[in-house]
Amino acid sequence: MSLNPDGLPVAVVTGASRGLGKATAEALARQGYHVIMLCRDVRDAAEHAMGLSHAGFSVEPRKVDVASSAEVSSVTKHITEEYGQVDLLVNNAGVFLEASAEGTDDPLRVSVTAVMQTFNVNAMGAMRLIQAVVPLMREGGRIVNVSSGMGRFSEIEGNYLGYRMSKTAMNGLTAVYAEALQSRGITVNAVCPGWVRTDMGGAQAERDIAEGIDTILWLATSDEATGASGGFYRDRKLLPW
Ligand SMILES: NC(=O)c1ccc[n+]([C@@H]2O[C@H](COP(=O)([O-])OP(=O)(O)OC[C@H]3O[C@@H](n4cnc5c(N)ncnc54)[C@H](OP(=O)(O)O)[C@@H]3O)[C@@H](O)[C@H]2O)c1
């Protein structure tokens, strides 16, 4: 593990302003990481970050829209200059535009633009962060991609084309980077948090946020998951793609 000036390992979490990303960032800070909370608008994380800092935890909100290569570059420069290393990357930021009020679940009507926007955040966002952060990772570094069962071929249904394809792509890039980074001792896994009560999941969802982040944290930090790479997990169990 690398150490920041306060002697803490460094974690980067995308989409840390709310939902699963916010809770993951807090849980990692409580576990002793210095957490760089990446948010589209830092003001959305400022209050939460301040509360955590006042409680003695080490967090740092930074502005990053994962759809912007320039913003990813800029934060990478900061992390490189400030810490020189990253131990953990959680690619959590995601959108589900087809489930929004303006969206449609119909694959015959969804616009190419909406599908491409979804891809650019959910899949290419993870790719941008991996390409940026891996040069700062050492052996033992972990990458956790927050995916979805909706991207598994075995769970495919005839709706939500863009979201499903973006998560299938995320699963694909998880497998490719796991192979590519094996020789460097960096692990890469995908996780389905289940259907969780967040803004995205809605009030009817089955799980609370604590249940939703359990496998994310398990892959990110547990000894049990050490060395596991190239897998898709739900409820701490390895599932077929
Ligand atoms: N909730 C579920 O049932 C469920 C199920 C399976 C998978 N997931 C996955 O879990 C992850 C987190 O979902 P959630 O339920 O916590 O959703 P959420 O409450 O809607 O939060 C989404 C987060 O992603 C951020 N985000 C969106 N676009 C971004 C961008 N371009 N750049 C940076 N951040 C961006 C949002 O930031 P802003 O605040 O700026 O919008 C927010 O912090 C997603 O990848 C989602 O696909 C969720």
Side-chain angles (χ1 to χ4, degrees):
M1 276 189 184
S2 59
L3 300 176
N4 74 1
D6 295 325
L8 306 178
V10 177
V12 174
V13 180
T14 67
S17 58
R18 55 197 167 94
L20 295 167
K22 179 181 180 181
T24 299
E26 174 169 344
L28 291 171
R30 290 180 181 278
Q31 286 192 31
Y33 284 80
H34 173 71
V35 183
I36 302 170
M37 303 170 69
L38 301 186
C39 308
R40 278 197 287 203
D41 186 337
V42 278
R43 286 170 300 187
D44 293 339
E47 200 180 319
H48 187 221
M50 204 173 301
L52 287 170
S53 295
H54 285 152
F57 302 109
S58 187
V59 295
E60 175 187 351
R62 288 272 154 189
K63 174 173 168 44
V64 171
D65 180 332
V66 300
S68 163
S69 297
E71 289 190 15
V72 172
S73 278
S74 160
V75 84
T76 306
K77 186 167 177 288
H78 162 75
I79 296 169
T80 306
E81 289 169 0
E82 213 48 44
Y83 311 114
Q85 281 182 241
V86 169
D87 300 285
L88 169 64
L89 167 64
V90 180
N91 279 313
N92 161 82
V95 290
F96 196 171
L97 303 178
E98 292 149 295
S100 70
E102 311 80 52
T104 170
D105 68 346
D106 183 350
L108 294 174
R109 292 197 304 122
V110 65
S111 70
V112 169
T113 306
V115 171
M116 287 176 71
Q117 279 174 354
T118 304
F119 243 79
N120 197 24
V121 175
N122 295 7
M124 299 304 106
M127 176 186 145
R128 284 186 187 92
L129 265 296
I130 290 172
Q131 290 189 341
V133 162
V134 161
L136 299 173
M137 278 186 162
R138 298 232 170 125
E139 191 172 347
R142 299 188 191 195
I143 298 170
V144 179
N145 293 326
V146 183
S147 185
S148 167
M150 288 178 74
R152 294 176 72 206
F153 282 112
S154 53
E155 293 184 31
I156 288 295
E157 293 176 25
N159 55 18
Y160 299 119
L161 179 75
Y163 185 77
R164 286 183 184 281
M165 288 201 303
S166 73
K167 294 299 189 181
T168 305
M170 179 179 243
N171 292 348
L173 69 82
T174 300
V176 170
Y177 281 117
E179 288 291 326
L181 299 176
Q182 191 179 23
S183 60
R184 298 165 76 150
I186 297 170
T187 60
V188 192
N189 290 290
V191 52
C192 173
W195 187 23
V196 187
R197 290 189 291 280
T198 61
D199 292 342
M200 185 186 290
Q204 304 307 317
E206 294 156 349
R207 298 183 173 196
D208 63 23
I209 288 186
E211 291 170 294
I213 64 171
D214 176 74
T215 304
I216 300 172
L217 294 173
W218 180 77
L219 284 168
T221 65
S222 77
D223 289 342
E224 230 176 21
T226 299
S229 195
F232 179 93
Y233 290 82
R234 184 193 283 144
D235 295 332
R236 303 187 180 195
K237 292 196 180 65
L238 181 63
L239 298 177
W241 297 106

